[in-house]
Amino acid sequence: MPKKRILVVEDNNLNREMLCEILTQKYAVVEAENGQQALEILKQNRSGIDLILLDLMMPVMDGMTFLKRVGEDENLTLIPVIVMTQSDSEKDEIAALSCGATDFVPKPYRPQIILHRVASIIKLRETAAMVNQFQYDRLTGVYSKEFFYQKVREQLADNPDEEYTLICSNIENFKLYNDIFGTPAGDRLLKQVAETTRNMVETDGICGRYAADRFVFLLKKEQELKARKRMEEKLQNGHVSSNRDVMIKWGVYEITDRSVPVEQMCDRAFLAADSIKGHYNEWIAVYDDALRGRMLREQAITDSMETALKEGQFTVYLQPKYSLHDDELAGAEALVRWIHPEWGFMSPGEFIPLFEKNGFITQLDQYVWERVCVILRDWREKGYAPIPVSVNVSRADVYQSDLIETLQGMLRKYEIEAKQLHLELTESAYTENPAQIIETVDRLRKLGFIPASNEPSSRTCADIWRLPRGSNTPLLCSATSLIPRCLQRGL
């Protein structure tokens, strides 16, 4: 380990030599003849000095003036200072300590006393630095997540009759911002958000950095409306600083049940913020029972999806497409439905967006593609005229490196031609990285696949065939019902 560096500030050559002799066996010593010279050394070695031994009576700049100048620089104030003087005046000792000195030792020097004091103070400083690193986020200066939890627990325990609210912030598309503008710009943005958060809580609240671009703070419930008003004014309707491309979502959790762990309280506040991600006219959301119910429902769906796929709870329906040119069946669109053994028929609007978010959509899409290939093979074996079937390709599918290999493997397995499997990119596929989407579509087109947008003019059977009594519900057909009968009749 490199030796700790001690700056000795002493105008008397003999005293300086004595101190160097005492210290050099264990420490690296840097010398200065007066306070002015010491300041210049500190400017050049701001983070390289671990402790300062300072004489008070010096020419050019005395010790007291040096202490005051050091106190004006927040970085230098972290370096401990041991003051040395021949005076045994209590007044001088109090004056030095009040100006920021850490300890006070008299002359003449006693080697063992100096060595013990130096070692103790350096160890104390290192311990304080470790504690400070645990307590505070290094980049933004607000509390770290774990220390924020601790402070909130203490606040709630010390004020059992006070009502509190947790508010969290989440920067929309922060990763994209970092990628475009670079990490230094991202760090500056995080500092701005931390400063905004500190301003909202003022001196009465507790502010912490939860993770990455997420911040959270606790304040009294009576201050919540005031904080929200400051929030809207400061962020200019959801924007940060002068960059109007940066959006912040805020989640609010009103603490009504103190038996809930602080970690879970924060999770609920962030759930509220996440519920309005992508909603460009909403910036604040409050966690309530309805949101909790929706989140529990989503969790139940997530917990059931793997089992549902294995047990065949997902069913593929075909919606016929009818040609406008010759009034004949032109194809079909594959739609997936989930028939749960307990929940019954589930709307795709409930589970498809969730699967797109958690990535399960790739497995479900591949299941649908394979089921469609089986249907097309069965039709061929029964001698039906070939018609194309459109299947969905989501954003997550496009980002799969083996997408093309997967599709080609299914075609080979079931002896299906690529032109029979029309590919329809969902809206979510266009939200990110259009260059990759264009490249993937071009490769698929060269292999014989047909994007659904290139299909001839047609409309789905839902536009023509309706359920009885004027119902507007589209008629969906299983693979063994209406479409095969149409194919048999040559419709």
Side-chain angles (χ1 to χ4, degrees):
M1 293 290 292
K3 289 183 177 181
K4 302 297 182 181
R5 301 183 73 189
I6 297 177
L7 174 60
V8 174
V9 189
E10 167 67 74
D11 66 311
N12 185 288
N13 289 333
L14 180 60
N15 287 340
R16 221 170 42 247
E17 289 177 5
M18 289 177 59
L19 287 170
C20 289
E21 182 68 24
I22 293 170
L23 298 168
T24 48
Q25 187 174 353
K26 291 186 177 182
Y27 304 99
V29 179
V30 181
E31 301 178 48
E33 295 180 359
N34 55 66
Q36 183 62 48
Q37 193 179 92
L39 282 176
E40 293 172 359
I41 291 173
L42 288 175
K43 289 177 181 179
Q44 297 173 0
N45 300 274
R46 187 177 294 267
S47 60
I49 301 297
D50 297 287
L51 182 139
I52 300 171
L53 286 172
L54 176 69
D55 186 25
L56 287 182
M57 304 301 294
M58 295 180 295
V60 184
M61 181 186 290
D62 61 27
M64 296 300 293
T65 304
F66 172 81
L67 283 172
K68 292 175 182 178
R69 293 286 297 276
V70 166
E72 295 169 356
D73 189 322
E74 61 180 13
N75 293 314
L76 296 182
T77 57
L78 299 176
I79 304 174
V81 179
I82 298 178
V83 168
M84 307 171 296
T85 181
Q86 289 180 338
S87 171
D88 58 357
S89 168
E90 182 179 346
K91 182 179 178 181
D92 289 341
E93 184 174 348
I94 292 174
L97 293 173
S98 65
C99 285
T102 308
D103 202 353
F104 196 98
V105 294
K107 297 178 182 179
Y109 303 132
R110 290 180 288 175
Q112 291 303 313
I113 296 297
I114 290 177
L115 287 172
H116 279 293
R117 295 260 180 112
V118 167
S120 297
I121 291 176
I122 288 179
K123 183 177 181 181
L124 183 63
R125 184 199 183 202
E126 290 176 341
T127 302
M130 292 178 62
V131 171
N132 186 72
Q133 186 175 1
F134 166 75
Q135 293 180 348
Y136 296 94
D137 176 62
R138 183 177 298 178
L139 175 66
T140 62
V142 299
Y143 286 141
S144 65
K145 180 171 72 172
E146 295 300 330
F147 196 64
F148 173 82
Y149 288 161
Q150 179 178 325
K151 296 295 288 185
V152 171
R153 293 189 194 101
E154 293 173 358
Q155 187 85 348
L156 296 179
D158 293 342
N159 302 274
D161 299 324
E162 191 74 58
E163 293 185 324
Y164 288 93
T165 298
L166 266 173
I167 300 180
C168 75
S169 67
N170 189 8
I171 303 175
E172 190 98 26
N173 294 322
F174 177 71
K175 184 179 182 300
L176 184 61
Y177 183 92
N178 249 357
D179 291 341
I180 294 174
F181 299 105
T183 301
D187 288 346
R188 287 194 297 270
L189 176 60
L190 291 175
K191 291 178 181 178
Q192 290 178 12
V193 176
E195 184 62 27
T196 298
T197 307
R198 270 194 293 256
N199 291 339
M200 288 177 189
V201 303
E202 294 181 331
T203 58
D204 300 321
I206 302 172
C207 176
R209 185 181 179 190
Y210 186 83
D213 59 314
R214 297 189 165 207
F215 294 84
V216 60
F217 58 94
L218 177 83
L219 71 169
K220 295 178 181 178
K221 188 175 180 180
E222 63 192 33
Q223 299 172 298
E224 181 185 337
L225 292 178
K226 183 180 177 182
R228 287 202 202 183
K229 184 177 179 181
R230 288 200 302 269
M231 189 186 305
E232 292 173 354
E233 293 173 352
K234 181 71 177 177
L235 299 179
Q236 300 177 350
N237 293 329
H239 300 282
V240 170
S241 69
S242 59
N243 191 333
R244 299 189 64 81
D245 293 327
V246 176
M247 303 280 293
I248 292 187
K249 302 300 182 184
W250 301 88
V252 178
Y253 176 70
E254 297 177 352
I255 300 175
T256 56
D257 183 1
R258 300 200 180 197
S259 65
V260 176
V262 174
E263 296 85 346
Q264 193 171 341
M265 293 179 184
C266 292
D267 288 342
R268 291 180 177 182
F270 283 113
L271 283 174
D274 290 342
S275 70
I276 54 173
K277 287 184 70 173
H279 299 187
Y280 292 99
N281 60 341
E282 295 182 68
W283 302 285
I284 302 174
V286 180
Y287 182 91
D288 56 18
D289 289 340
L291 178 61
R292 180 174 182 272
R294 186 164 76 248
M295 295 301 175
L296 290 175
R297 171 72 168 179
E298 288 183 357
Q299 187 59 52
I301 291 173
T302 300
D303 293 341
S304 303
M305 61 190 186
E306 296 279 358
T307 302
L309 191 61
K310 291 178 183 178
E311 295 181 354
Q313 296 175 18
F314 294 103
T315 302
V316 174
Y317 287 86
L318 300 181
Q319 185 165 263
K321 295 183 177 181
Y322 198 70
S323 173
L324 296 177
H325 297 298
D326 50 20
D327 293 333
E328 292 185 356
L329 186 67
E333 180 181 0
L335 304 174
V336 64
R337 298 294 182 261
W338 186 357
I339 304 176
H340 193 277
E342 296 179 14
W343 307 330
F345 188 92
M346 295 179 60
S347 168
E350 183 177 15
F351 63 85
I352 292 295
L354 181 59
F355 291 172
E356 288 182 334
K357 186 166 62 175
N358 64 27
F360 186 70
I361 192 68
T362 58
Q363 296 183 54
L364 183 60
D365 282 346
Q366 290 181 19
Y367 170 81
V368 173
W369 301 342
E370 185 147 18
R371 291 301 306 151
V372 168
C373 287
V374 170
I375 292 169
L376 290 171
R377 182 197 61 185
D378 291 345
W379 287 354
R380 185 190 69 243
E381 291 177 351
K382 292 177 180 177
Y384 298 157
I387 63 168
V389 177
S390 301
V391 296
N392 282 340
V393 177
S394 68
R395 175 183 58 185
D397 298 323
V398 173
Y399 291 149
Q400 293 295 315
S401 59
D402 61 347
L403 169 63
I404 292 177
E405 290 75 12
T406 299
L407 288 168
Q408 287 183 312
M410 290 184 184
L411 296 183
R412 288 193 297 268
K413 180 178 179 181
Y414 297 101
E415 299 179 349
I416 303 298
E417 295 183 36
K419 64 181 180 181
Q420 291 181 267
L421 197 64
H422 288 196
L423 306 179
E424 183 170 350
L425 270 69
T426 60
E427 291 182 3
S428 65
Y430 294 94
T431 57
E432 296 176 10
N433 202 346
Q436 182 172 353
I437 294 171
I438 293 171
E439 179 185 353
T440 302
V441 170
D442 285 343
R443 289 181 62 193
L444 290 168
R445 185 181 285 111
K446 290 176 182 177
L447 293 171
F449 291 97
I450 299 177
S453 59
N454 287 1
E455 293 176 354
S457 177
S458 64
R459 53 180 171 173
T460 64
C461 187
D463 297 322
I464 303 169
W465 293 321
R466 301 285 178 183
L467 291 178
R469 298 180 184 176
S471 169
N472 288 324
T473 305
L475 177 62
L476 302 181
C477 313
S478 71
T480 57
S481 58
L482 182 59
I483 292 180
R485 291 200 297 273
C486 291
L487 293 174
Q488 283 178 317
R489 297 175 185 178
L491 295 178

